[in-house]
Amino acid sequence: MKKPLPIGVENFEDMVTSGYYYVDKTMFIKELLDLKGKANLFTRPRRFGKTLNLSMLRHFFEDTGDEKVNERQKNLFQGMKIMEAGESYISQMGSYPVFGLTLKSAKQEDYDMASYMIQDAISTEFERHREVVEKERERLSARECERYNAIAEGKADEKNVRNSLQLFCQCMHKITGRNTVILIDEYDVPLENAYFKGFYNEMVDFIRSLFESALKTNDYLQFAVITGCLRISRESIFTGLNHLNIISVLDKKYSEHFGFTEREVMQMMAYYGVESRFPTMKEWYDGYLFGDTEVYNPWSVIKFLYDLHSDVNAFPRPYWINTSSNDIIKDMIARADREMKGQIEMLLDGGTLDIQVHEEVTYGDMHSNSENLWNFLYFTGYLTKESEYFKGKYTFLKVRLPNLEVMTIYETTIMNWMEDVIKKEDFHDLYSAMEEGNAQKMTDILTGQLFHTISFYDSAENFYHGFLTGILSQSENYLVKSNRESGNGRSDIMVKSPSLRGRSFILEIKVSDSIDDLEDDAKRALQQIYEKRYMEELRTEGYRKIDCFGVSFFRKDCEVRFGNGQK
């Protein structure tokens, strides 16, 4: 039997002991020890292996105080790459107290609940080490024991919780004589959530206090590893942390440890016997460039492999859309001006965009200028680097959409936004024009709508079909049916009155190759309705008042031709 795929498995011990397929990233440990960063912030997109890597670090470095547990932890790494790195690395296994904190649960509706969830996560980690503290409590002062127990029991006030990480390290040093390794996962989740929910400043203040106690004046810190999507400005979060080592997707260091390299993907596909689908895997889930390393989206690779294992002909899907926060894209599209809409359309059409790199931005800066917004999209994985260049002392990137998966996420978000916009508009004039057979007025109304929307042309027929169907569906007086079998083929859109005595319409869509083809294509669309007898379904139902429209599109232009359905 093949090893099961680790869908949603983020615990390293579970990954190994349960026999899941594991892409060995243990050389991350070696690189971390070699570079000797005191406080290290890794920014990578969501679902690129950050949580699993932190779990791996905890199991490698942690001294639990229990020899049997420590021995079991060492067995987890047998046969892995780190065990071949040399004694200087292996000797550090099981050598330090480890404080692991995830802030994922802080995605809440208000500050009180978000801060409570962070405090609860801290309390849980204090409780996990409580047995060690109780055994050696004589090494601590009465005040230290009191404060430690209050946090472990969830009884400490917020002021003491803000200083809790420094207290933990201090207690562990007194008990073990060793400094603590601090691991903080998804540090920016509460910040992103707070920005969109309206309590950003309060959350910034809380996170800043927490980090200062852990990283700024902590003499008992061995090293810290922090992960997140974005590098939030030092001024807002990492105040005074001049020793902070920030490793973003631009850095060449650590580049292969988050996400899957092409070699790793090919090995996985060969193991499961589905290497014939590699071109599709690459087209949909490759395209990220971390430093100079080509990287695949690991979550989507695993999900697609899962589907391929059951059916080698399975169709790829945008798996990442359900796991990564799309709020930034939704907000960007809703706020986009004419220039930004044009830039989005250019990216969707396979083009590139030149942006100046701004790594130290806050959520509050997101909409201060378009450059900041493009940076947010780049660092969160919705854009990728094609090339890098310099102008004077400034770094610039040429960016594009990474792959078909991300393109699909943009298109889906745009279509949802467009539907919301259309619902707010009154298209009474368009229906009046249809009822009058006024093709020119229909042309003017539809062209005006196209001018204000965001179009994508790689799958133009789907876009224009959705665009026109969405508009026509706003009438309370007509029913809209799309892609129904009729006569000898499929009509694109049918619009009909609930009453058989009322009006009915057939619309056929063509997408032109150039602006010069618009008129001829509209005529062709109209002729197709007659040639393939698309009116037959409506006539069979009992409709007698049938009109036909041929509609052609080219980018932001439209042409409509009218014909009588009695022909």
Side-chain angles (χ1 to χ4, degrees):
M1 290 182 62
K2 297 292 185 183
K3 294 181 178 181
L5 285 157
I7 296 176
V9 181
E10 296 181 321
N11 182 287
F12 180 76
E13 183 176 24
D14 184 25
M15 176 78 73
V16 177
T17 58
S18 298
Y20 289 103
Y21 188 105
Y22 175 61
V23 177
D24 191 340
K25 297 292 183 181
T26 57
M27 292 303 280
F28 178 39
I29 298 167
K30 178 181 183 300
E31 193 165 353
L32 196 63
L33 293 172
D34 285 343
L35 295 175
K36 294 181 169 35
K38 191 73 170 178
N40 309 275
L41 169 63
F42 291 89
T43 60
R44 294 293 187 275
R46 303 262 185 257
R47 289 289 191 175
F48 269 74
K50 300 187 296 296
T51 301
L52 180 59
N53 274 348
L54 288 195
S55 177
M56 175 188 69
L57 294 181
R58 180 172 77 81
H59 282 92
F60 184 86
F61 286 109
E62 185 164 46
D63 178 8
T64 64
D66 186 322
E67 290 185 8
K68 290 183 179 180
V69 174
N70 286 352
E71 188 62 32
R72 188 169 71 246
Q73 287 179 319
K74 291 178 181 179
N75 290 335
L76 294 176
F77 291 88
Q78 293 304 312
M80 295 190 181
K81 294 175 183 178
I82 188 61
M83 302 305 288
E84 301 171 3
E87 183 58 31
S88 61
Y89 303 101
I90 298 173
S91 64
Q92 304 234 28
M93 187 185 296
S95 297
Y96 306 100
V98 175
F99 188 93
L101 177 65
T102 178
L103 302 186
K104 289 180 181 180
S105 62
K107 195 171 184 178
Q108 302 294 330
E109 288 299 314
D110 55 54
Y111 173 75
D112 288 343
M113 193 62 194
S115 62
Y116 169 79
M117 294 304 292
I118 296 173
Q119 293 177 64
D120 186 63
I122 292 171
S123 174
T124 298
E125 191 67 356
F126 267 65
E127 181 64 31
R128 188 171 74 87
H129 294 83
R130 199 170 181 181
E131 185 176 345
V132 174
V133 173
E134 288 298 320
K135 284 181 179 178
E136 304 289 344
R137 62 181 301 127
E138 68 276 2
R139 296 176 182 267
L140 305 179
S141 68
R143 185 169 181 272
E144 286 169 335
C145 286
E146 182 182 353
R147 290 177 62 200
Y148 189 100
N149 288 330
I151 294 171
E153 294 167 7
K155 297 178 180 178
D157 57 27
E158 186 177 302
K159 181 179 178 181
N160 279 314
V161 171
R162 291 183 180 216
N163 195 45
S164 59
L165 271 63
Q166 197 277 339
L167 172 67
F168 179 90
C169 296
Q170 179 178 316
C171 291
M172 288 299 137
H173 188 268
K174 283 191 172 184
I175 291 170
T176 68
R178 295 175 178 176
N179 289 344
T180 294
V181 172
I182 293 178
L183 307 174
I184 302 176
D185 191 27
E186 303 286 17
Y187 89 96
D188 57 338
V189 165
L191 298 169
E192 178 186 2
N193 175 70
Y195 173 76
F196 286 107
K197 298 296 185 183
F199 53 92
Y200 181 68
N201 290 335
E202 292 173 284
M203 186 54 69
V204 165
D205 183 57
F206 182 62
I207 298 295
R208 183 196 296 122
S209 298
L210 194 66
F211 281 16
E212 283 181 354
S213 76
L215 309 175
K216 185 178 179 180
T217 56
N218 189 351
D219 295 331
Y220 309 108
L221 175 68
Q222 183 66 22
F223 66 83
V225 176
I226 308 159
T227 70
C229 277
L230 297 170
R231 171 180 171 172
I232 306 299
S233 160
R234 291 179 184 176
E235 285 69 30
S236 64
I237 301 297
F238 302 113
T239 306
L241 296 180
N242 298 321
H243 64 303
L244 184 66
N245 181 29
I246 303 176
I247 305 99
S248 76
V249 294
L250 288 170
D251 288 273
K252 296 179 182 179
K253 301 183 294 295
Y254 303 96
S255 56
E256 74 274 19
H257 302 309
F258 297 88
F260 295 157
T261 65
E262 186 156 283
R263 181 171 176 269
E264 290 166 342
V265 171
M266 293 180 75
Q267 288 175 339
M268 291 179 75
M269 297 190 78
Y271 176 80
Y272 290 102
V274 294
E275 56 266 55
S276 63
R277 298 301 306 279
F278 176 72
T280 303
M281 179 74 81
K282 184 176 182 66
E283 188 178 32
W284 272 77
Y285 309 117
D286 185 20
Y288 300 94
L289 199 63
F290 293 172
D292 293 330
T293 303
E294 181 182 354
V295 177
Y296 286 65
N297 183 324
W299 169 256
S300 299
V301 166
I302 291 171
K303 290 285 285 180
F304 189 39
L305 277 172
Y306 181 82
D307 289 346
L308 290 177
H309 192 48
S310 302
D311 175 13
V312 73
N313 297 312
F315 191 76
R317 291 181 286 157
Y319 306 103
W320 201 46
I321 196 171
N322 296 320
T323 62
S324 179
S325 172
N326 304 128
D327 288 340
I328 293 175
I329 289 186
K330 293 175 185 175
D331 204 44
M332 172 194 70
I333 290 169
R335 294 170 179 255
D337 57 18
R338 171 46 43 192
E339 180 184 7
M340 182 169 284
K341 286 176 181 176
Q343 291 170 326
I344 296 170
E345 289 170 350
M346 179 178 63
L347 290 167
L348 288 168
D349 207 28
T352 60
L353 182 66
D354 290 64
I355 63 171
Q356 182 181 339
V357 175
H358 299 289
E359 292 193 73
E360 294 185 356
V361 292
T362 67
Y363 281 95
D365 296 331
M366 190 192 306
H367 297 292
S368 61
N369 60 63
S370 60
E371 203 93 82
N372 283 343
L373 187 51
W374 294 124
N375 272 268
F376 268 74
L377 292 170
Y378 169 65
F379 287 109
T380 51
Y382 293 104
L383 294 171
T384 192
K385 178 181 72 173
E386 183 164 288
S387 60
E388 185 176 352
Y389 61 95
F390 299 92
K391 286 184 180 179
K393 60 182 179 180
Y394 300 107
T395 303
F396 285 80
L397 301 177
K398 194 175 287 292
V399 297
R400 59 174 172 80
L401 300 187
N403 48 47
L404 286 181
E405 178 178 46
V406 174
M407 184 175 289
T408 301
I409 292 172
Y410 275 89
E411 291 178 356
T412 301
T413 306
I414 288 167
M415 291 302 292
N416 291 337
W417 162 79
M418 194 167 65
E419 288 176 8
D420 291 339
V421 170
I422 286 171
K423 287 177 183 177
K424 298 174 184 177
E425 300 237 4
D426 182 358
F427 290 101
H428 178 77
D429 289 348
L430 178 65
Y431 269 98
S432 294
M434 288 176 62
E435 292 164 350
E436 296 164 5
N438 191 336
Q440 184 57 53
K441 188 173 182 181
M442 290 178 65
T443 297
D444 294 341
I445 293 171
L446 293 175
T447 301
Q449 284 297 314
L450 284 171
F451 183 78
H452 294 294
T453 191
I454 299 172
S455 310
F456 44 89
Y457 310 113
D458 66 301
S459 53
E461 289 196 25
N462 287 337
F463 168 74
Y464 290 120
H465 192 278
F467 166 76
L468 190 52
T469 303
I471 288 176
L472 294 173
S473 298
Q474 297 313 301
S475 173
E476 296 179 355
N477 300 320
Y478 290 95
L479 304 173
V480 178
K481 301 287 184 182
S482 63
N483 288 331
R484 290 291 302 273
E485 291 293 341
S486 175
N488 295 322
R490 297 169 64 89
S491 62
D492 283 321
I493 301 173
M494 283 186 179
V495 181
K496 56 188 180 180
S497 166
S499 169
L500 294 176
R501 295 175 178 176
R503 304 289 296 274
S504 60
F505 310 92
I506 295 173
L507 295 93
E508 183 66 20
I509 298 171
K510 297 291 181 187
V511 179
S512 299
D513 293 329
S514 73
I515 189 71
D516 295 330
D517 296 330
L518 268 177
E519 292 185 14
D520 288 342
D521 286 340
K523 293 175 184 176
R524 275 200 312 117
L526 184 60
Q527 188 61 32
Q528 182 175 320
I529 295 174
Y530 298 135
E531 291 176 352
K532 296 196 174 183
R533 300 189 294 118
Y534 290 155
M535 298 88 72
E536 290 305 307
E537 180 180 340
L538 290 173
R539 286 174 180 162
T540 301
E541 287 184 32
Y543 287 96
R544 295 295 175 261
K545 298 176 182 178
I546 306 171
D547 287 322
C548 307
F549 296 94
V551 188
S552 60
F553 294 97
F554 178 74
R555 296 190 176 267
K556 297 292 185 182
D557 286 284
C558 171
E559 185 71 25
V560 181
R561 282 288 184 270
F562 168 74
N564 189 288
Q566 305 308 313
K567 184 174 177 179

